[in-house]
Amino acid sequence: AQRDDTLIDATTTALFDQLLRSIIHTVVLDVHRAARTGRLCLRCGSTTPELCTRSATRDVFGLSLNSRFSHTFACVHCKRSVHAERYATHLEKCMGVGRASARA
């Protein structure tokens, strides 16, 4: 009887886990599809994104959109000020290495 109870518990737990994963997977795919097709506003959760009045002030990591682009660094080669998002590309071109230098 104890062995049967253990087997029933394990089977029930496995079935529940599988059902829960399936439900979560379905919901995630539905939300992703709605966001990609423009039927869902990711800022406010509205299903009519064209009527959304909230402005985006933060990115997906919670950082301010205004401060995200304010980081600049001095190039180690030419000492020019370069935005953080463009630093690697600039350095490739500036030093003449990598794919970018072959095209220039």
Side-chain angles (χ1 to χ4, degrees):
Q2 180 68 15
R3 185 174 177 186
D4 289 341
D5 288 345
T6 304
L7 181 61
I8 290 171
D9 287 346
T11 305
T12 304
T13 301
L15 180 63
F16 177 77
D17 286 347
Q18 188 175 11
L19 285 171
L20 184 61
R21 286 176 193 231
S22 176
I23 290 168
I24 291 171
H25 187 257
T26 301
V27 169
V28 167
L29 286 178
D30 288 346
V31 169
H32 174 73
R33 186 178 301 112
R36 289 284 290 190
T37 58
R39 293 182 290 124
L40 175 69
C41 176
L42 295 178
R43 290 185 211 134
C44 68
S46 169
T47 54
T48 53
E50 63 276 358
L51 300 178
C52 180
T53 57
R54 292 186 186 181
S55 62
T57 58
R58 303 208 175 268
D59 66 6
V60 294
F61 302 109
L63 301 172
S64 172
L65 289 177
N66 296 333
S67 69
R68 192 174 114 195
F69 297 108
S70 65
H71 299 295
T72 58
F73 298 95
C75 175
V76 295
H77 189 68
C78 70
K79 307 299 184 218
R80 239 175 88 191
S81 181
V82 182
H83 283 281
E85 286 91 8
R86 303 285 306 153
Y87 188 77
T89 306
H90 167 80
L91 200 56
E92 278 185 346
K93 290 180 182 178
C94 187
M95 296 181 75
V97 294
R99 290 184 343 179
S101 65
R103 295 181 187 168

